[in-house]
Amino acid sequence: MKIGFIGLGIMGRPMALNLIKAGHQLGVYSRRKESCQAIIDAGAQYFATPKDLAPHVEVIITMLPAPADVEDVLLGKNGVINTVKPGTIVIDMSTISVVATERFAERLAKKEVAMLDAPVSGGEQGAIDGTLTIMVGGDAQVLEKVQPIFDVLGGRTTHIGKLGAGQTAKACNQIIIAETIVAVSEALSLAKASGVDPEKVREALMGGYASSRVLEVHGERMLKDTYAPGFKAALHRKDMHLAVDQAQHVGINIPAATYAMQCLDRLVLKGHGQLDSSAIHLLVED
Amino acid sequence: MKIGFIGLGIMGRPMALNLIKAGHQLGVYSRRKESCQAIIDAGAQYFATPKDLAPHVEVIITMLPAPADVEDVLLGKNGVINTVKPGTIVIDMSTISVVATERFAERLAKKEVAMLDAPVSGGEQGAIDGTLTIMVGGDAQVLEKVQPIFDVLGGRTTHIGKLGAGQTAKACNQIIIAETIVAVSEALSLAKASGVDPEKVREALMGGYASSRVLEVHGERMLKDTYAPGFKAALHRKDMHLAVDQAQHVGINIPAATYAMQCLDRLVLKGHGQLDSSAIHLLVED
């Protein structure tokens, strides 16, 4: 397929590369052209703006840090919306709010452009390996058309529901991970403060009901006191604010998620935003 | 071995039965003789008090609900301490505090009786199947002597460290499970309140970084709205109070664990103490 890929950061770059390797024709745009170089070398065509790129492709993928970036690329002065052909499909794989997703989709629909929200989990390694977990919201028939793309990028694609449902699933994902990081962190701190080897405790707990991917992967980071990302605290913080905002919007309280968010706020304020988000453990140990 | 087993409740009964099946000679005591009947039928000898039982065995296992029960059975008027032979090993598999464990061990040591703390995780099913996770604190040489017993009862025995370390590991276990229950509950509630199918969300998240045994087992309970235990909220509440007390004792804050404890407090106050502790979800949905 002819695919436009916008946003070539830590996640977007390996994803775009995998699409080229799988035989797709790629047009790319990034605010910083230098971040496109590896992709251009691999055969992608560079465009100076999203507006220049849009008319040349059937599918446009956005993989950007925040709602404002997605808005700019899709609806801005040099945005996709100005030149996009009817029938084009926009897949936003960024993590943004449901509300923003709905607003962007509504605007695109007026140009007969369908949109899917398809945020991912699995981090840089998942992007490199093409094993991302992809959570899709939007029309099932639209999803069917682009399924081959998801098959390249992800190990597993789940159609969660209507437009925005992918973002809701991602919010749930980020809540659970952040809260489980806090849980593991508190437990390992209790062990250490009690004069007990936290490594032994983690080992004992791994097979039982307390076992989780977080205990396995982030628990090891905490024990080794090494917080190279992984997934940066600053981004996890952003995602937790989206989730807590969404909870307020739909009228429920999620106090433990709010506490985990505040931990990430503190971590970023202390200048640790570039560490893996499991560095929350540095606060509990404070 | 000649083993005394004290406390034949939901956990103790299948554990004692497995020891008989494995060829050990069992003497048993329980406040309610009727709860011993199945074990007596299987070949165990019943004793009217722990004091009567103690001189006849090499190892005494206690599996009781709370510190006061363990104290009564070990150190009370009709307790083990009055008649126990030097060289006997006491294994307390109850979940109690580190402080109480140390106190009991000190008293027993004066009778030349060694004690291990060996609380378990894995619930009734793990007790029946002999696949409990056993977390042991105490002397390694003592543990070595009773390892064959743990091999019958557990799928996995970890020597965590000095006396009390097993209880610390268990506290860590209970903290992580309670906090992860809260996390999964908040996430599924956010999905539902957002008009998204929580079952789809759980399905999508199962393979990724948010995956945990709690998401798998307790998440299913929440989706089906069925809270047959499992592990009773009233007992999980007791364990969380032990853990939070321990944290205060060793001088650290565990705010998310404290919040999970308060959820269990509320659940029990509302009369749901006999439900599985994942019924915390009933509160989040309130």
Side-chain angles (χ1 to χ4, degrees), chain A residues 25 51 63 67 86 103 110 132 142 160 183 205 218 230 278 282:
Chain A
Q25 274 182 267
K51 188 165 91 173
M63 189 59 175
R103 188 159 54 81
K110 289 181 184 155
L132 293 166
V142 176
I160 309 288
L205 269 46
H218 298 88
S278 56
L282 297 173

Side-chain angles (χ1 to χ4, degrees), chain A residues 133 156 159-160 162 172-173 179 183 186-187 194-196 200 203-204 209-213 246 254-257 259, chain B residues 133 156 159-160 162 172-173 177 179 183 186-187 194-196 200 203-204 209-213 246 254-257 259:
Chain A
T133 294
R156 184 178 162 125
H159 184 216
I160 309 288
K162 64 178 194 249
C172 294
N173 188 69
E179 294 189 43
E186 289 189 351
S194 303
V196 172
K200 281 280 172 197
E203 186 192 321
Y209 276 94
S211 68
S212 67
R213 192 77 181 277
Q246 182 172 342
I254 46 173
Y259 173 71
Chain B
T133 296
R156 184 176 160 126
H159 185 215
I160 308 290
K162 65 178 194 246
C172 294
N173 188 69
I177 294 173
E179 293 188 43
E186 289 188 352
S194 304
V196 171
K200 281 279 173 199
E203 186 192 320
Y209 276 95
S211 69
S212 66
R213 192 77 182 276
Q246 182 172 344
I254 47 173
Y259 173 70

Side-chain angles (χ1 to χ4, degrees), chain A residues 239-279:
Chain A
D239 293 354
M240 289 301 285
H241 277 268
L242 288 172
V244 169
D245 285 353
Q246 182 172 342
Q248 284 173 351
H249 186 70
V250 299
I252 64 163
N253 279 315
I254 46 173
T258 306
Y259 173 71
M261 176 189 82
Q262 289 161 344
C263 287
L264 288 163
D265 286 344
R266 276 166 61 209
L267 196 65
V268 171
L269 273 174
K270 281 170 174 265
H272 297 313
Q274 301 307 304
L275 297 183
D276 186 78
S277 67
S278 56

Side-chain angles (χ1 to χ4, degrees), chain B residues 97-247:
Chain B
S97 68
V98 176
V99 173
T101 299
E102 289 170 345
R103 189 158 52 83
F104 301 161
E106 206 174 305
R107 288 284 300 280
L108 290 168
K110 289 181 184 157
K111 301 273 178 176
E112 292 172 52
V113 169
M115 180 170 159
L116 299 174
D117 54 310
V120 303
S121 167
E124 186 182 1
Q125 199 57 51
I128 292 169
D129 299 340
T131 57
L132 293 166
T133 296
I134 306 176
M135 297 157 265
V136 186
D139 190 83
Q141 287 177 311
V142 177
L143 167 55
E144 204 177 316
K145 286 183 197 163
V146 297
Q147 185 67 50
I149 293 176
F150 291 142
D151 290 342
V152 172
L153 301 176
R156 184 176 160 126
T157 305
T158 309
H159 185 215
I160 308 290
K162 65 178 194 246
L163 186 88
Q167 295 297 351
T168 293
K170 178 68 186 276
C172 294
N173 188 69
Q174 300 305 73
I175 284 175
I176 291 179
I177 294 173
E179 293 188 43
T180 313
I181 286 173
V182 170
V184 168
S185 177
E186 289 188 352
L188 297 181
S189 297
L190 179 62
K192 194 175 163 191
S194 304
V196 171
D197 183 0
E199 199 152 347
K200 281 279 173 199
V201 170
R202 175 170 164 276
E203 186 192 320
L205 269 46
M206 284 285 285
Y209 276 95
S211 69
S212 66
R213 192 77 182 276
V214 167
L215 182 63
E216 191 188 328
V217 177
H218 298 87
E220 196 180 6
R221 283 196 172 95
M222 294 176 199
L223 290 173
K224 291 189 174 163
D225 199 26
T226 55
Y227 297 106
F231 184 64
K232 288 179 185 170
L235 287 173
H236 205 162
R237 171 181 181 268
K238 180 211 75 168
D239 293 354
M240 291 300 286
H241 278 268
L242 288 171
V244 169
D245 285 353
Q246 182 172 344

Side-chain angles (χ1 to χ4, degrees), chain A residues 7 28-29 36 69 91 107 140 142 144 147 165 193 220-221 232 237 245 260 264 271 273 286:
Chain A
V28 296
Y29 165 76
C36 298
D69 305 303
I91 309 172
R107 288 282 302 277
V142 176
E144 205 178 316
Q147 185 66 51
E220 195 179 8
R221 284 196 171 96
K232 287 179 186 171
R237 172 181 179 268
D245 285 353
L264 288 163
D286 249 6

